Short mmCIF file of all heavy atoms in Angstrom, two decimals:
data_model
loop_
_atom_site.label_atom_id
_atom_site.label_comp_id
_atom_site.label_asym_id
_atom_site.label_seq_id
_atom_site.Cartn_x
_atom_site.Cartn_y
_atom_site.Cartn_z
N ILE A 235 110.04 63.93 27.27
CA ILE A 235 110.83 62.81 27.81
C ILE A 235 112.18 63.33 28.30
O ILE A 235 112.65 62.98 29.39
CB ILE A 235 111.03 61.72 26.74
CG1 ILE A 235 109.68 61.07 26.41
CG2 ILE A 235 112.04 60.67 27.22
CD1 ILE A 235 109.73 60.15 25.19
N TYR A 236 112.79 64.20 27.52
CA TYR A 236 114.08 64.78 27.90
C TYR A 236 113.96 65.55 29.22
O TYR A 236 114.77 65.37 30.13
CB TYR A 236 114.59 65.68 26.78
CG TYR A 236 115.89 66.36 27.09
CD1 TYR A 236 117.09 65.68 27.01
CD2 TYR A 236 115.92 67.70 27.49
CE1 TYR A 236 118.28 66.30 27.30
CE2 TYR A 236 117.11 68.32 27.78
CZ TYR A 236 118.30 67.62 27.69
OH TYR A 236 119.48 68.23 27.99
N ALA A 237 112.93 66.37 29.34
CA ALA A 237 112.73 67.16 30.57
C ALA A 237 112.54 66.24 31.77
O ALA A 237 113.07 66.51 32.85
CB ALA A 237 111.52 68.08 30.40
N GLN A 238 111.81 65.16 31.60
CA GLN A 238 111.61 64.20 32.69
C GLN A 238 112.93 63.57 33.10
O GLN A 238 113.20 63.38 34.30
CB GLN A 238 110.62 63.12 32.29
CG GLN A 238 109.21 63.64 32.14
CD GLN A 238 108.28 62.62 31.52
OE1 GLN A 238 108.71 61.57 31.02
NE2 GLN A 238 107.01 62.92 31.51
N GLN A 239 113.76 63.23 32.13
CA GLN A 239 115.05 62.62 32.44
C GLN A 239 115.95 63.60 33.19
O GLN A 239 116.68 63.21 34.10
CB GLN A 239 115.73 62.12 31.16
CG GLN A 239 115.01 60.97 30.49
CD GLN A 239 114.83 59.78 31.40
OE1 GLN A 239 115.76 59.33 32.06
NE2 GLN A 239 113.63 59.26 31.44
N VAL A 240 115.90 64.87 32.81
CA VAL A 240 116.69 65.88 33.50
C VAL A 240 116.23 65.98 34.96
O VAL A 240 117.05 66.11 35.87
CB VAL A 240 116.62 67.24 32.77
CG1 VAL A 240 117.22 68.35 33.60
CG2 VAL A 240 117.32 67.14 31.42
N GLU A 241 114.92 65.90 35.18
CA GLU A 241 114.41 65.90 36.56
C GLU A 241 114.91 64.68 37.32
O GLU A 241 115.30 64.79 38.49
CB GLU A 241 112.88 65.91 36.56
CG GLU A 241 112.28 67.24 36.20
CD GLU A 241 110.76 67.19 36.23
OE1 GLU A 241 110.19 66.47 37.08
OE2 GLU A 241 110.14 67.88 35.41
N LEU A 242 114.91 63.52 36.67
CA LEU A 242 115.38 62.29 37.33
C LEU A 242 116.85 62.40 37.72
O LEU A 242 117.28 61.79 38.70
CB LEU A 242 115.18 61.09 36.41
CG LEU A 242 113.76 60.57 36.28
CD1 LEU A 242 113.69 59.48 35.22
CD2 LEU A 242 113.24 60.05 37.61
N ARG A 243 117.61 63.15 36.96
CA ARG A 243 119.03 63.33 37.24
C ARG A 243 119.24 63.91 38.65
O ARG A 243 120.27 63.67 39.28
CB ARG A 243 119.63 64.26 36.19
CG ARG A 243 121.10 64.50 36.35
CD ARG A 243 121.57 65.56 35.40
NE ARG A 243 122.09 64.96 34.18
CZ ARG A 243 122.32 65.64 33.07
NH1 ARG A 243 122.08 66.92 33.01
NH2 ARG A 243 122.81 65.04 32.01
N GLN A 244 118.27 64.66 39.15
CA GLN A 244 118.38 65.30 40.45
C GLN A 244 118.15 64.35 41.62
O GLN A 244 118.46 64.66 42.76
CB GLN A 244 117.39 66.47 40.55
CG GLN A 244 117.53 67.50 39.45
CD GLN A 244 118.94 68.02 39.30
OE1 GLN A 244 119.59 68.38 40.28
NE2 GLN A 244 119.43 68.05 38.07
N ILE A 245 117.58 63.17 41.35
CA ILE A 245 117.31 62.20 42.41
C ILE A 245 118.61 61.52 42.80
O ILE A 245 119.31 60.97 41.95
CB ILE A 245 116.26 61.17 41.94
CG1 ILE A 245 114.95 61.88 41.63
CG2 ILE A 245 116.07 60.09 43.00
CD1 ILE A 245 113.90 60.98 41.01
N ASP A 246 118.92 61.55 44.09
CA ASP A 246 120.21 61.01 44.51
C ASP A 246 120.13 59.63 45.14
O ASP A 246 121.14 59.08 45.55
CB ASP A 246 120.91 61.99 45.46
CG ASP A 246 120.10 62.26 46.71
OD1 ASP A 246 119.00 61.71 46.86
OD2 ASP A 246 120.59 63.05 47.54
N ASP A 247 118.95 59.03 45.21
CA ASP A 247 118.86 57.72 45.85
C ASP A 247 118.50 56.59 44.88
O ASP A 247 117.95 55.58 45.27
CB ASP A 247 117.87 57.75 47.01
CG ASP A 247 116.44 58.03 46.57
OD1 ASP A 247 116.24 58.42 45.43
OD2 ASP A 247 115.53 57.84 47.41
N ILE A 248 118.84 56.78 43.61
CA ILE A 248 118.54 55.72 42.63
C ILE A 248 119.76 54.85 42.33
O ILE A 248 119.69 53.94 41.53
CB ILE A 248 117.95 56.30 41.31
CG1 ILE A 248 118.91 57.25 40.62
CG2 ILE A 248 116.62 56.96 41.57
CD1 ILE A 248 118.43 57.73 39.26
N GLY A 249 120.85 55.14 42.99
CA GLY A 249 122.05 54.32 42.85
C GLY A 249 122.81 54.58 41.56
O GLY A 249 122.32 55.26 40.66
N PRO A 250 124.00 54.01 41.49
CA PRO A 250 124.85 54.22 40.32
C PRO A 250 124.23 53.70 39.02
O PRO A 250 124.32 54.35 37.98
CB PRO A 250 126.14 53.46 40.64
CG PRO A 250 126.11 53.23 42.11
CD PRO A 250 124.69 53.25 42.53
N SER A 251 123.60 52.53 39.08
CA SER A 251 123.02 51.99 37.84
C SER A 251 121.83 52.83 37.38
O SER A 251 121.61 53.03 36.18
CB SER A 251 122.62 50.53 38.00
OG SER A 251 121.64 50.39 39.02
N GLY A 252 121.06 53.36 38.33
CA GLY A 252 119.95 54.25 37.98
C GLY A 252 120.45 55.54 37.35
O GLY A 252 119.90 56.01 36.35
N GLN A 253 121.52 56.09 37.91
CA GLN A 253 122.12 57.30 37.35
C GLN A 253 122.67 57.05 35.95
O GLN A 253 122.52 57.88 35.05
CB GLN A 253 123.23 57.83 38.26
CG GLN A 253 122.73 58.49 39.52
CD GLN A 253 122.01 59.80 39.25
OE1 GLN A 253 122.14 60.41 38.20
NE2 GLN A 253 121.23 60.24 40.22
N GLU A 254 123.30 55.88 35.76
CA GLU A 254 123.82 55.55 34.43
C GLU A 254 122.69 55.47 33.41
O GLU A 254 122.82 55.94 32.28
CB GLU A 254 124.56 54.21 34.46
CG GLU A 254 125.93 54.29 35.10
CD GLU A 254 126.61 52.94 35.14
OE1 GLU A 254 126.35 52.09 34.25
OE2 GLU A 254 127.41 52.71 36.06
N ARG A 255 121.59 54.87 33.81
CA ARG A 255 120.45 54.76 32.90
C ARG A 255 119.90 56.13 32.54
O ARG A 255 119.57 56.41 31.39
CB ARG A 255 119.37 53.90 33.54
CG ARG A 255 118.09 53.92 32.77
CD ARG A 255 117.64 52.59 32.40
NE ARG A 255 116.52 52.69 31.47
CZ ARG A 255 115.69 51.73 31.27
NH1 ARG A 255 115.84 50.60 31.91
NH2 ARG A 255 114.72 51.86 30.41
N VAL A 256 119.78 56.99 33.55
CA VAL A 256 119.28 58.35 33.29
C VAL A 256 120.20 59.06 32.31
O VAL A 256 119.73 59.69 31.34
CB VAL A 256 119.14 59.14 34.61
CG1 VAL A 256 118.91 60.62 34.34
CG2 VAL A 256 118.01 58.57 35.46
N GLU A 257 121.50 58.99 32.51
CA GLU A 257 122.45 59.64 31.61
C GLU A 257 122.36 59.06 30.20
O GLU A 257 122.40 59.80 29.21
CB GLU A 257 123.87 59.55 32.14
CG GLU A 257 124.12 60.36 33.40
CD GLU A 257 123.80 61.84 33.24
OE1 GLU A 257 124.11 62.43 32.18
OE2 GLU A 257 123.25 62.41 34.19
N ARG A 258 122.22 57.75 30.11
CA ARG A 258 122.08 57.11 28.80
C ARG A 258 120.83 57.61 28.10
O ARG A 258 120.85 57.95 26.91
CB ARG A 258 122.02 55.60 28.96
CG ARG A 258 121.97 54.87 27.61
CD ARG A 258 121.55 53.45 27.73
NE ARG A 258 120.13 53.44 28.07
CZ ARG A 258 119.51 52.43 28.67
NH1 ARG A 258 120.18 51.36 29.03
NH2 ARG A 258 118.23 52.48 28.93
N ASP A 259 119.72 57.68 28.85
CA ASP A 259 118.46 58.13 28.26
C ASP A 259 118.50 59.61 27.88
O ASP A 259 117.94 60.01 26.87
CB ASP A 259 117.30 57.84 29.20
CG ASP A 259 117.04 56.34 29.34
OD1 ASP A 259 117.57 55.55 28.53
OD2 ASP A 259 116.29 55.96 30.27
N ILE A 260 119.19 60.43 28.68
CA ILE A 260 119.35 61.85 28.34
C ILE A 260 120.12 61.97 27.03
O ILE A 260 119.73 62.72 26.14
CB ILE A 260 120.06 62.61 29.48
CG1 ILE A 260 119.08 62.84 30.63
CG2 ILE A 260 120.64 63.94 28.98
CD1 ILE A 260 119.70 63.45 31.87
N ASN A 261 121.19 61.22 26.90
CA ASN A 261 121.98 61.27 25.67
C ASN A 261 121.18 60.78 24.47
O ASN A 261 121.29 61.34 23.37
CB ASN A 261 123.28 60.49 25.83
CG ASN A 261 124.25 61.18 26.75
OD1 ASN A 261 124.28 62.41 26.82
ND2 ASN A 261 125.03 60.42 27.47
N ARG A 262 120.37 59.75 24.67
CA ARG A 262 119.53 59.25 23.58
C ARG A 262 118.53 60.32 23.16
O ARG A 262 118.32 60.56 21.98
CB ARG A 262 118.80 57.98 24.02
CG ARG A 262 117.92 57.41 22.92
CD ARG A 262 117.24 56.14 23.35
NE ARG A 262 118.24 55.11 23.60
CZ ARG A 262 118.10 54.14 24.49
NH1 ARG A 262 117.02 54.07 25.23
NH2 ARG A 262 119.03 53.24 24.65
N CYS A 263 117.90 60.97 24.14
CA CYS A 263 116.94 62.04 23.82
C CYS A 263 117.62 63.18 23.09
O CYS A 263 117.07 63.70 22.11
CB CYS A 263 116.29 62.57 25.10
SG CYS A 263 115.10 61.45 25.84
N LYS A 264 118.80 63.58 23.54
CA LYS A 264 119.54 64.65 22.87
C LYS A 264 119.81 64.29 21.42
O LYS A 264 119.67 65.13 20.52
CB LYS A 264 120.87 64.93 23.57
CG LYS A 264 120.76 65.74 24.81
CD LYS A 264 122.15 65.98 25.38
CE LYS A 264 122.13 66.82 26.61
NZ LYS A 264 123.47 67.03 27.17
N LYS A 265 120.20 63.04 21.17
CA LYS A 265 120.49 62.60 19.80
C LYS A 265 119.24 62.66 18.93
O LYS A 265 119.27 63.20 17.83
CB LYS A 265 121.05 61.16 19.85
CG LYS A 265 121.18 60.48 18.52
CD LYS A 265 122.37 60.99 17.75
CE LYS A 265 122.62 60.12 16.53
NZ LYS A 265 122.30 60.77 15.28
N VAL A 266 118.14 62.12 19.43
CA VAL A 266 116.89 62.13 18.66
C VAL A 266 116.46 63.57 18.40
O VAL A 266 116.13 63.93 17.27
CB VAL A 266 115.78 61.34 19.37
CG1 VAL A 266 114.43 61.56 18.70
CG2 VAL A 266 116.11 59.86 19.41
N LEU A 267 116.48 64.40 19.44
CA LEU A 267 116.06 65.79 19.27
C LEU A 267 116.98 66.54 18.31
O LEU A 267 116.51 67.33 17.49
CB LEU A 267 115.99 66.49 20.62
CG LEU A 267 114.81 66.05 21.48
CD1 LEU A 267 114.99 66.51 22.92
CD2 LEU A 267 113.50 66.56 20.91
N SER A 268 118.25 66.29 18.40
CA SER A 268 119.19 66.93 17.48
C SER A 268 118.90 66.48 16.05
O SER A 268 118.89 67.31 15.12
CB SER A 268 120.62 66.56 17.87
OG SER A 268 121.54 67.07 16.96
N ASP A 269 118.66 65.20 15.87
CA ASP A 269 118.32 64.69 14.53
C ASP A 269 117.03 65.29 14.00
O ASP A 269 116.85 65.43 12.80
CB ASP A 269 118.21 63.17 14.55
CG ASP A 269 119.54 62.47 14.72
OD1 ASP A 269 120.59 63.14 14.63
OD2 ASP A 269 119.53 61.24 14.96
N LEU A 270 116.13 65.64 14.90
CA LEU A 270 114.86 66.24 14.50
C LEU A 270 115.00 67.75 14.25
O LEU A 270 114.05 68.39 13.84
CB LEU A 270 113.79 65.99 15.56
CG LEU A 270 113.32 64.55 15.70
CD1 LEU A 270 112.36 64.42 16.88
CD2 LEU A 270 112.68 64.05 14.42
N GLY A 271 116.18 68.30 14.54
CA GLY A 271 116.41 69.71 14.27
C GLY A 271 116.26 70.62 15.47
O GLY A 271 116.22 71.84 15.33
N ALA A 272 116.18 70.03 16.67
CA ALA A 272 116.07 70.86 17.88
C ALA A 272 117.36 71.65 18.07
O ALA A 272 118.44 71.22 17.68
CB ALA A 272 115.81 69.98 19.10
N ASP A 273 117.23 72.80 18.69
CA ASP A 273 118.37 73.67 18.95
C ASP A 273 119.23 73.09 20.08
O ASP A 273 118.77 73.01 21.22
CB ASP A 273 117.85 75.06 19.34
CG ASP A 273 118.95 76.04 19.65
OD1 ASP A 273 120.13 75.74 19.39
OD2 ASP A 273 118.61 77.13 20.16
N PRO A 274 120.46 72.67 19.80
CA PRO A 274 121.31 72.09 20.83
C PRO A 274 121.59 73.04 21.99
O PRO A 274 121.73 72.62 23.13
CB PRO A 274 122.60 71.74 20.11
CG PRO A 274 122.36 71.92 18.67
CD PRO A 274 121.10 72.71 18.51
#
């Protein structure tokens, strides 16, 4: 899921709200993965 969100970050025609959602989801994935013990 994190990798997919990083790919979505590269899309430039999803508008500001789309970019905000992608960033929010990336941060959520980072938090979950960090809590699971993934290497930051």
Side-chain angles (χ1 to χ4, degrees):
I235 293 169
Y236 178 78
Q238 291 170 350
Q239 294 302 312
V240 170
E241 286 181 34
L242 285 173
R243 182 188 265 166
Q244 304 307 313
I245 298 174
D246 60 0
D247 64 348
I248 61 174
S251 61
Q253 286 291 342
E254 285 179 30
R255 171 124 190 201
V256 168
E257 292 303 320
R258 184 195 70 203
D259 292 346
I260 285 173
N261 289 328
R262 181 178 295 149
C263 287
K264 281 182 179 179
K265 170 76 170 109
V266 170
L267 287 166
S268 176
D269 289 350
L270 292 174
D273 179 11

